[in-house]
């Protein structure tokens, strides 16, 4: 994640690209306005609980930490939960739902969370660096969708990297999808265990793949060793790192539409939300196209949810601040073609 790479040349290229993209987009009118303007919010994971929409975003702040290769300036310290009676209705900020100081094992950087409900308990899943500066995924519980949430004493065993997405299948099974390259550290787990020197791959190599693990009944642990989620082209081939307009970068989200599984994700340095379709939760998922074109700011992160028979795309941009690490969440309706493909959203017109 983040607009910096390890190579200076790429830093410059990305900076120029980012500035150009921002400039072009700010001349256009946004199709949606920020849902929240009293604090900065990002990475909106939306769910329908008890007939209302609940949004679990990151809470962006200016902590003064300098930008670096690992996205250290995304230095978030708590989560707020929001609810809405409808996507066009009033939004309620339920206040701090979980604070980093109440997560016993946490070091720094509370990144994009997600939530789930099962048998009277709400679960908040969150990535945060542990005290060794390694991203792990934690879980916290509450009896209310808005929290406050109480964190477990340790991260989910076997978890690593960032951006958990919890998907409930129609048979009642829950799966976690997760992962993110660059600052998300997925490249440091290429051998199956943590290697602080794990490098990004060169263009001709297979791209890193997101992970999936079925959840145990208690929703607090993985029921299996995490597996790769294969994203393939129309010939069944995995994408290479050089296919950076299609390969996985971060921000996994899964939803089901007409019996098919839709895996959507950010392409990171090409700034799109792409999607691929599969026949079961494990995939493989065949690339189909773009859900959301690049937005203002470097990151692009979304969720897709059905509410009262319509589908909605929650996303963020930097309309309020103009700064990549101070984002604001938005929503717009999402439409499908008759063949099940998604009509690409342009966040500006
Ligand atoms: O908000 C911090 C990180 O930025 C998220 O974890 C990524 O998906 C990107 O949006």
């Amino acid at each position: 994640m983040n607009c910096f790479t390890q190579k200076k040349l790429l830093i410059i290229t990305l900076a120029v690209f980012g500035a150009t993209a921002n400039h072009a987009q700010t001349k256009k009118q946004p199709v949606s306005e920020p849902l929240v303007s009293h604090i900065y919010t990002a990475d909106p994971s939306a769910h329908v609980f008890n007939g209302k929409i609940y949004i679990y975003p990151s809470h962006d702040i200016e902590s003064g930490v300098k930008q670096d290769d690992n996205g250290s300036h995304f230095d978030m310290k708590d989560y707020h939960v929001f609810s809405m009676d409808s996507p066009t209705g009033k939004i309620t900020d339920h206040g701090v739902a979980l604070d980093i100081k109440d997560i016993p094992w946490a070091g720094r950087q509370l990144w994009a969370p997600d939530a789930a409900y099962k048998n009277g308990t709400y679960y908040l899943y969150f990535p945060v660096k542990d005290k060794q500066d390694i991203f792990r995924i934690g879980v916290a519980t509450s009896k209310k969708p808005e929290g406050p949430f109480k964190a477990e004493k340790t991260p989910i065993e076997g978890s690593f990297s960032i951006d958990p997405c919890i998907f409930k299948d129609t048979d009642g099974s829950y799966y976690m999808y997760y992962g993110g390259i660059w600052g998300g550290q997925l490249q440091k787990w290429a051998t199956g265990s943590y290697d602080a020197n794990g490098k990004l791959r060169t263009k001709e190599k297979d791209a890193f793949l997101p992970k999936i693990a079925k959840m145990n009944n208690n929703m607090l642990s993985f029921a299996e060793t995490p597996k790769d989620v294969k994203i393939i082209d129309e010939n069944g081939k995995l994408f290479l790192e050089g296919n950076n307009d299609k390969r996985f970068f971060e921000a996994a989200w899964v939803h089901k539409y007409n019996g098919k599984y839709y895996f959507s994700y950010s392409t990171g340095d090409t700034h799109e939300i792409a999607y691929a379709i599969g026949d079961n939760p494990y995939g493989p998922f065949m690339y189909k196209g773009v859900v959301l074109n690049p937005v203002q700011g470097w990151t692009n992160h979304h969720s897709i949810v059905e509410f009262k028979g319509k589908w909605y795309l929650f996303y963020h941009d930097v309309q309020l601040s103009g700064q990549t690490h101070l984002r604001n969440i938005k929503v717009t309706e999402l439409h499908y073609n008759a063949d099940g493909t998604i009509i690409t959203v342009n966040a500006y017109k």
Side-chain angles (χ1 to χ4, degrees), residues 97-305:
L98 180 65
D99 193 299
I100 197 164
K101 69 175 165 25
D102 299 321
I103 305 168
W105 54 273
R108 60 176 179 145
Q109 297 181 280
L110 278 177
W111 282 12
D114 194 16
Y117 169 78
K118 186 178 174 185
N119 296 341
T121 301
Y122 294 87
Y123 298 85
L124 181 69
Y125 298 92
F126 55 89
V128 68
K129 282 181 180 162
D130 65 15
K131 296 188 195 302
Q132 286 72 47
D133 234 24
I134 300 173
F135 267 118
R136 305 277 181 185
I137 296 169
V139 55
T141 56
S142 175
K143 289 294 170 197
K144 292 188 286 183
E146 69 272 25
F149 288 86
K150 185 165 172 39
E152 293 293 297
K153 289 194 171 60
T154 52
I156 294 175
E157 199 180 333
S159 72
F160 53 90
S161 198
I162 60 165
D163 291 1
C165 158
I166 288 278
F167 167 70
K168 181 186 181 187
D169 205 350
T170 30
D171 68 357
S173 304
Y174 290 80
Y175 300 88
M176 183 185 288
Y177 299 83
Y178 65 91
I181 60 172
W182 294 25
Q185 301 181 340
L186 197 54
Q187 68 280 4
K188 297 181 188 284
W189 292 89
T191 60
S193 56
Y194 184 75
D195 172 4
N197 297 314
K199 295 275 180 292
L200 293 165
R201 290 184 177 149
T202 46
K203 280 182 172 186
E204 71 287 0
K205 298 262 170 61
D206 280 348
F208 290 100
L209 296 173
K211 303 287 173 187
I212 178 177
K214 193 171 184 176
M215 300 303 291
N216 270 324
N217 282 338
N218 66 9
M219 298 291 277
L220 302 175
S221 54
F222 293 156
E224 60 188 355
T225 304
K227 299 173 168 56
D228 287 341
V229 175
K230 291 189 174 135
I231 305 169
I232 53 174
D233 67 13
E234 68 275 15
N235 300 313
K237 285 189 71 177
L238 291 170
F239 291 115
L240 306 178
E241 178 55 29
N243 304 127
N244 65 338
D245 58 336
K246 297 190 175 66
R247 63 95 168 86
F248 174 80
F249 190 100
E250 63 186 3
W253 186 261
V254 171
H255 74 281
K256 204 169 176 179
Y257 177 77
N258 283 349
K260 297 279 187 191
Y261 297 79
Y262 287 61
F263 181 89
S264 44
Y265 57 98
S266 170
T267 59
D269 52 340
T270 50
H271 314 280
E272 290 171 348
I273 299 295
Y275 75 104
I277 298 181
D279 292 324
N280 73 81
Y282 289 94
F285 296 91
M286 189 181 286
Y287 178 88
K288 290 291 174 183
V290 174
V291 176
L292 175 63
N293 279 324
V295 294
Q296 296 168 353
W298 200 89
T299 65
N300 203 348
H301 191 126
H302 71 301
S303 64
I304 295 171
V305 66

Side-chain angles (χ1 to χ4, degrees), residues 1 43 58 74 76 111-112 162-163 250-251 299 301 316 327:
M1 67 121 324
D43 311 324
S58 300
F74 290 92
M76 297 84 110
W111 282 12
I162 60 165
D163 291 1
E250 63 186 3
T299 65
H301 191 126
H316 67 224
R327 301 161 288 181

Side-chain angles (χ1 to χ4, degrees), residues 67-84:
Q67 294 192 352
D68 68 13
D69 291 359
N70 295 316
S72 299
H73 50 302
F74 290 92
D75 186 29
M76 297 84 110
K77 299 191 190 306
D78 65 23
Y79 294 116
H80 285 225
V81 176
F82 297 84
S83 66
M84 306 173 86

